[in-house]
Amino acid sequence: MGRFISGMTAGALVGAALGTVILSQMDRRTQRMIRKAGKRMMSTMGDTYDDMMHWMR
């Protein structure tokens, strides 16, 4: 379980770093769309994590 969370954290950090570099070169509309998609994805990931933790109990 620890390796899974470490992998998720590393992926999130790399994604955030790349997103920051790429996002700064896009227009505002595209930036807004990407931010909304990111928020939806984070919400989904949080729900999935909560479901997994509940299932493991």
Side-chain angles (χ1 to χ4, degrees):
M1 183 69 174
R3 291 181 69 198
F4 175 75
I5 293 179
S6 295
M8 290 291 288
T9 303
L13 290 173
V14 169
L18 287 174
T20 302
V21 171
I22 293 170
L23 198 62
S24 65
Q25 298 174 4
M26 296 181 181
D27 64 347
R28 290 182 187 204
R29 182 174 181 223
T30 305
Q31 289 177 358
R32 211 173 318 127
M33 287 175 21
I34 290 173
R35 283 191 186 112
K36 284 183 182 180
K39 287 178 183 178
R40 284 192 307 264
M41 187 180 298
M42 288 298 292
S43 176
T44 301
M45 286 177 24
D47 292 344
T48 302
Y49 176 79
D50 291 341
D51 290 344
M52 286 176 49
M53 295 307 287
H54 178 71
W55 178 75
M56 292 177 68
R57 290 183 199 168

